[in-house]
């Protein structure tokens, strides 16, 4: 029930064939985060791919990867070891609502469950259901937990569905994570945005920059990436005009 793939940055990634696999949302979040951070934490690591991309791209020195499902926490640890990152990346089996860190983080990043427990089709596999639905905490729980362990002025970064963007922004502000940068992602020039990338600052002042939108494909055929997406695939980061 597993396979091992080569993905971006020549990383080897073990994935469960009956679970959630590496997708565009994780790739974009890793690219959206810019700068250099010493110590970070991922909320909901899954396979651990976002943390591994940040480490190999030298955007992060070391990190903790939290995962509420034991089999995925183990998978994160295995992937870290497979890529020689086990000294810089610590997988922890924990619920973000209960996790207590012995030190503050410079950045916390997450691709959280985005569906309410009462919405959407419930997946017959519980591990997929937990990954997609707010079974183990909603977005407010994630933001509260992030603010608790994030240093003042630290960065919070997330990828989320646009139909719940107001919930995310509200939760960030309530928790003291002031939204500072927002990018909407469209599949093509004729499609409505399907996801949002957002960055906030712990204890920051009000002032949100909405960047130009990211268009993934040149047209509706979805056969060719846009110049911006090609840049992200090649460089591992967004072009400079997406940065604050």
């Amino acid at each position: 029930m597993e396979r091992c793939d080569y993905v971006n940055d020549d990383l080897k990634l073990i994935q469960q064939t009956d679970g959630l696999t590496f997708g565009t949302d994780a790739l974009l979040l890793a690219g959206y985060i810019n700068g250099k951070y010493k110590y970070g934490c991922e909320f909901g690591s899954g396979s651990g791919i976002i943390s591994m991309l940040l480490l190999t791209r030298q955007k992060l020195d070391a990190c903790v990867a939290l995962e509420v499902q034991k089999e995925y926490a183990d998978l994160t640890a295995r992937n870290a070891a497979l890529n020689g990152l086990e000294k810089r990346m610590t997988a922890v089996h924990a619920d973000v609502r209960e996790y207590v860190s012995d030190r503050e983080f410079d950045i916390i990043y997450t691709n959280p469950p985005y569906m309410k427990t009462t919405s959407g089709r419930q997946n017959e596999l519980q591990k997929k259901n937990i990954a997609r639905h707010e079974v183990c905490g909603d977005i407010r729980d994630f933001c509260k937990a992030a603010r608790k362990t994030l240093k003042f002025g630290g960065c919070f970064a997330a990828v989320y569905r646009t139909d719940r963007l107001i919930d995310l922004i509200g939760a960030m502000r309530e928790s003291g994570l002031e939204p500072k940068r927002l990018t909407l992602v469209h599949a093509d020039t004729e499609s409505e945005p399907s996801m949002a990338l957002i960055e906030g600052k712990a204890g920051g002042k009000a002032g949100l920059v909405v960047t130009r939108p990211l268009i993934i494909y040149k047209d509706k055929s979805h056969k060719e990436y846009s110049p911006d997406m090609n840049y992200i695939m090649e460089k591992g980061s967004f072009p400079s005009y997406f940065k604050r």
Side-chain angles (χ1 to χ4, degrees), residues 102-156:
D102 58 359
R103 58 184 286 194
E104 292 182 318
F105 296 106
D106 301 298
I107 181 171
I108 290 176
Y109 46 97
T110 183
N111 178 11
Y114 50 80
M115 299 179 72
K116 296 180 179 181
T117 54
T118 56
S119 69
R121 179 173 173 271
Q122 297 292 305
N123 197 287
E124 61 183 10
L125 289 175
Q126 181 65 0
K127 58 186 174 184
K128 277 191 176 182
N129 192 40
I130 291 174
R132 289 177 173 151
H133 291 77
E134 297 174 327
V135 176
C136 298
D138 60 21
I139 192 58
R140 283 176 170 76
D141 293 319
F142 271 61
C143 288
K144 287 178 183 177
R147 183 64 188 93
K148 183 175 65 175
T149 55
L150 193 60
K151 74 176 187 181
F152 185 84
C155 177
F156 175 79

Side-chain angles (χ1 to χ4, degrees), residues 66-229:
L66 296 185
E67 174 53 52
V68 71
Q69 299 190 69
K70 180 66 164 57
E71 61 183 307
Y72 279 114
D74 292 343
L75 183 61
T76 292
R78 291 166 59 202
N79 277 322
L82 183 64
N83 290 280
L85 296 170
E86 67 274 18
K87 292 184 179 179
R88 300 171 62 196
M89 179 175 169
T90 303
V92 176
H93 173 221
D95 188 318
V96 298
R97 297 170 295 182
E98 301 170 358
Y99 177 67
V100 178
S101 175
D102 58 359
R103 58 184 286 194
E104 292 182 318
F105 296 106
D106 301 298
I107 181 171
I108 290 176
Y109 46 97
T110 183
N111 178 11
Y114 50 80
M115 299 179 72
K116 296 180 179 181
T117 54
T118 56
S119 69
R121 179 173 173 271
Q122 297 292 305
N123 197 287
E124 61 183 10
L125 289 175
Q126 181 65 0
K127 58 186 174 184
K128 277 191 176 182
N129 192 40
I130 291 174
R132 289 177 173 151
H133 291 77
E134 297 174 327
V135 176
C136 298
D138 60 21
I139 192 58
R140 283 176 170 76
D141 293 319
F142 271 61
C143 288
K144 287 178 183 177
R147 183 64 188 93
K148 183 175 65 175
T149 55
L150 193 60
K151 74 176 187 181
F152 185 84
C155 177
F156 175 79
V159 57
Y160 211 55
R161 280 191 3 178
T162 51
D163 61 345
R164 297 204 59 203
L165 181 56
I166 296 301
D167 293 336
L168 172 59
I169 291 175
M172 288 176 66
R173 272 207 149 173
E174 287 174 14
S175 303
L177 302 170
E178 185 62 30
K180 303 297 290 184
R181 181 169 62 118
L182 172 68
T183 300
L184 298 179
V185 181
H186 302 246
D188 54 66
T189 56
E190 298 182 43
S191 299
E192 294 181 354
S194 57
M195 71 177 80
L197 295 155
I198 195 165
E199 185 179 84
K201 180 179 288 188
K205 295 181 180 179
L208 175 67
V209 172
V210 180
T211 74
R212 60 190 286 178
L214 172 66
I215 310 298
I216 296 178
Y217 293 101
K218 292 185 73 172
D219 55 46
K220 289 192 73 174
S221 69
H222 291 190
K223 292 180 179 179
E224 187 177 353
Y225 281 140
S226 69
D228 286 340
M229 191 64 184

Side-chain angles (χ1 to χ4, degrees), residues 27-40:
L27 177 66
L28 290 180
L29 180 58
Y32 198 64
I33 294 169
N34 58 69
K36 175 76 171 179
Y37 298 93
K38 290 184 177 180
Y39 192 48

Side-chain angles (χ1 to χ4, degrees), residues 36-63:
K36 175 76 171 179
Y37 298 93
K38 290 184 177 180
Y39 192 48
C41 183
E42 180 174 7
F43 281 5
S45 64
S47 66
I49 184 60
I50 299 176
S51 289
M52 292 194 297
L53 287 170
L54 293 176
L55 291 170
T56 58
R57 293 169 180 176
Q58 306 306 317
K59 296 182 179 184
L60 192 58
D61 289 341
C63 68

